[in-house]
Amino acid sequence: MKVRRILSTLSIVLIVCAFTSCSDKDDVPKGMKLASDTSVVDYSLFVPEEWMIVTRNGATSVQVSKTDCSSVSVAQWNLTDEISSIDAWWEDYKEQMNNIFAEMTVVTEGEKTVVDGKAASKYIYYGTLKGGVKYTFLVVATVRNGSIYVITYTSMGEIDDENSLFSKNLGTVNSIIENMKFN
């Protein structure tokens, strides 16, 4: 009788764990929250608990706060015959950005990195709008299952200015990228 009761209790615990936080998929890093809607996208983007979620549909977008609009976004596109690699995507993207900004300066181009164990490339560039407003972008792109996933960190300020918003948030953004998981 005791064995049956223990097995019954163990079965209930296992069932509850299968549908709650015992699942690896739901493991949220300490101090972070899930920003992406995993019923719509096939990745989990974790951000600091205090960050604001702006969009969580086919793409995910978050920002630091109402006063610091530095943001991280993740978007996914299917690869095509014309854009079948990260390098091809970057060339197309760069051309589009050159049409948007009055001036675009690439600082880092194609630096090798990883996202959830997948090979990725990192790019950093400045974009200056007409009127002189300058933004700094860190972009990490990776390919998975016929799609390209693009993580973009956008902020104001110079990379080498340790007092800029870009530099201030860079460590946190790196942690966001390191904790991103594909489902």
Side-chain angles (χ1 to χ4, degrees), residues 3-71:
V3 171
R4 187 177 283 163
R5 202 175 275 159
I6 290 171
L7 288 175
S8 183
T9 302
L10 182 58
S11 295
I12 291 170
V13 169
L14 290 174
I15 290 169
V16 169
C17 282
F19 290 104
T20 62
S21 64
C22 291
S23 167
D24 288 340
K25 182 176 166 184
D26 295 330
D27 285 342
V28 178
K30 185 175 178 157
M32 298 183 120
K33 64 184 175 185
L34 179 64
S36 54
D37 181 348
T38 57
S39 70
V40 178
V41 297
D42 64 349
Y43 59 83
S44 296
L45 183 70
F46 301 104
V47 300
E49 290 174 350
E50 63 275 5
W51 280 42
M52 297 171 44
I53 298 171
V54 178
T55 305
R56 25 177 0 220
N57 48 32
T60 306
S61 178
V62 296
Q63 73 181 45
V64 175
S65 67
K66 288 183 179 181
T67 57
D68 180 352
C69 294
S70 300
S71 65

Side-chain angles (χ1 to χ4, degrees), residues 66-168:
K66 288 183 179 181
T67 57
D68 180 352
C69 294
S70 300
S71 65
V72 172
S73 64
V74 179
Q76 172 212 350
W77 294 278
N78 292 330
L79 294 173
T80 65
D81 289 339
E82 296 81 29
I83 301 177
S84 59
S85 68
I86 292 174
D87 292 337
W89 166 83
W90 172 247
E91 290 306 316
D92 182 69
Y93 178 85
K94 201 166 41 168
E95 183 177 317
Q96 292 176 39
M97 293 303 105
N98 275 317
N99 292 327
I100 292 172
F101 295 110
E103 182 182 337
M104 180 180 169
T105 306
V106 177
V107 178
T108 302
E109 191 165 25
E111 181 180 307
K112 299 303 173 204
T113 186
V114 294
V115 175
D116 194 21
K118 307 266 182 243
S121 294
K122 179 166 71 172
Y123 307 87
I124 299 174
Y125 68 94
Y126 295 112
T128 305
L129 295 171
K130 293 176 180 132
V133 179
K134 188 180 213 177
Y135 291 93
T136 303
F137 299 85
L138 179 146
V139 177
V140 176
T142 189
V143 172
R144 177 178 177 267
N145 294 341
S147 293
I148 187 160
Y149 293 79
V150 180
I151 307 162
T152 306
Y153 167 45
T154 307
S155 192
M156 296 182 83
E158 302 281 335
I159 299 166
D160 51 3
D161 176 2
E162 63 188 41
N163 296 316
S164 73
L165 289 176
F166 183 87
S167 296
K168 176 184 165 198

